[in-house]
Amino acid sequence: MDLVLFGPPGAGKGTQAQFLVESYKIPQISTGDMLRAAVKAGTPLGVKAQEIMAQGGLVSDDIVLGIVAERIVQDDCCAGFVLDGFPRTIPQADALDLILKQAGRAIDHVISLEVDTEEIVKRLSGRRSCPSCGKGYHITFDAPKEEGVCDICGSSLVQRADDQEDTVRNRLLVYEQQTAPLKEYYRSKHVLCSIPGMGAIAEIQQRIINALVS
Ligand code: AP5
Ligand code: ZN
């Protein structure tokens, strides 16, 4: 099953991708995670992306398409994938369509998570993650057992540089201008399913399951 998890920053795409990975045995492809790994490793691509990401802007389509095109043809994507944070522009969506078409595939579902702006700011300012094993947390909504410490591996949790409130608001603006138009793009292809992204994580998970089986 070829899925796109769509929605504004902080809508819960990364959170909900986890159960899809486990339930459907397909990999999560997060362009944000891949770009952050490149920044951390200091690769030429990471150096290019770093400043744009810190400001909450979009990395160029060429760079992002390069990394996705390479990833999507790997063996573990044969049975499908969950795209998280990609596509984010119309040219990215067109290029994705073409890559999949050449492989005789197409996007099956685009799940769009709808969340209010102020809830997003709350979610992102409280988000923390484990730098060692990658597990995500929220200081209020999904807190670790011991404050600031990963439940799984015991590492100290960190906050993303672009989760400061000013940057979050800029990311939301960029989303409205450049990414939200993709909803119409996928609606016209009859694969868009809008889901309320407010409420408990488990409730939203159930809404996604219902959408995928209907
Ligand atoms: P990326 O990493 O993709 O960030 P994003 O889209 O802004 O999304 P987030 O990861 O912030 O949010 P999410 O929806 O995954 O929410 P999460 O589940 O973590 O991109 C970062 C940057 O990379 C971009 O700004 C851009 O510069 C660049 N980039 C990436 N892809 C690109 C592309 N395709 N083209 C160009 N540039 C690109 O949840 C957030 C928090 O809320 C967590 O703490 C979580 O625990 C909590 N939470 C989740 N669900 C709930 C709930 N139901 N109730 C309460 N809390 C909840
Ligand atoms: Zn950990």
Side-chain angles (χ1 to χ4, degrees):
M1 181 149 45
D2 295 348
L3 300 178
V4 174
L5 266 179
F6 187 83
K13 303 181 295 294
T15 302
Q16 298 297 339
Q18 290 168 23
F19 94 88
L20 291 166
V21 165
E22 283 158 26
S23 308
Y24 294 93
K25 310 283 178 235
I26 49 178
Q28 172 191 12
I29 301 179
S30 159
T31 43
D33 286 350
M34 290 195 275
L35 289 167
R36 276 185 291 280
V39 169
K40 199 173 168 190
T43 64
L45 187 153
V47 171
K48 274 191 201 162
Q50 186 165 25
E51 200 176 324
I52 301 164
M53 292 174 75
Q55 291 165 357
L58 290 188
V59 174
S60 78
D61 288 340
D62 285 354
I63 290 184
V64 176
L65 282 167
I67 59 175
V68 172
E70 245 176 49
R71 179 67 187 88
I72 231 165
V73 293
Q74 288 172 15
D75 288 349
D76 63 338
C77 292
C78 279
F81 47 72
V82 186
L83 286 168
D84 160 9
F86 177 91
R88 260 178 152 97
T89 62
I90 302 276
Q92 288 181 17
D94 280 338
L96 173 65
D97 262 12
L98 195 64
I99 295 169
L100 292 176
K101 201 171 174 188
Q102 283 163 352
R105 292 162 71 159
I107 293 296
D108 296 301
H109 301 278
V110 175
I111 304 287
S112 175
L113 298 170
E114 312 295 335
V115 179
D116 298 346
T117 302
E118 290 315 309
E119 170 77 8
I120 285 172
V121 174
K122 253 192 251 165
R123 285 187 187 181
L124 292 184
S125 54
R127 173 164 60 182
R128 300 291 182 273
S129 67
C130 174
S132 306
C133 73
K135 170 129 179 57
Y137 297 89
H138 189 281
I139 54 170
T140 315
F141 308 130
D142 189 12
K145 292 189 187 84
E146 187 185 338
E147 191 182 327
V149 179
C150 179
D151 292 344
I152 295 174
C153 70
S155 300
S156 294
L157 302 181
V158 295
Q159 182 173 27
R160 254 168 63 174
D162 59 351
D163 278 349
Q164 303 296 327
E165 185 168 339
D166 282 2
T167 316
V168 168
R169 293 202 186 271
N170 190 41
R171 285 160 64 197
L172 285 167
L173 207 65
V174 169
Y175 170 80
E176 282 308 325
Q177 290 168 345
Q178 300 193 52
T179 306
L182 282 176
K183 276 202 260 184
E184 203 39 57
Y185 178 98
Y186 284 118
R187 190 174 289 121
S188 71
K189 290 179 183 286
H190 311 290
V191 289
L192 184 79
C193 182
S194 289
I195 291 198
M198 308 279 288
I201 292 170
E203 266 177 272
I204 298 158
Q205 176 175 328
Q206 192 54 53
R207 288 180 202 141
I208 295 175
I209 294 170
N210 295 347
L212 292 179
V213 296
S214 66

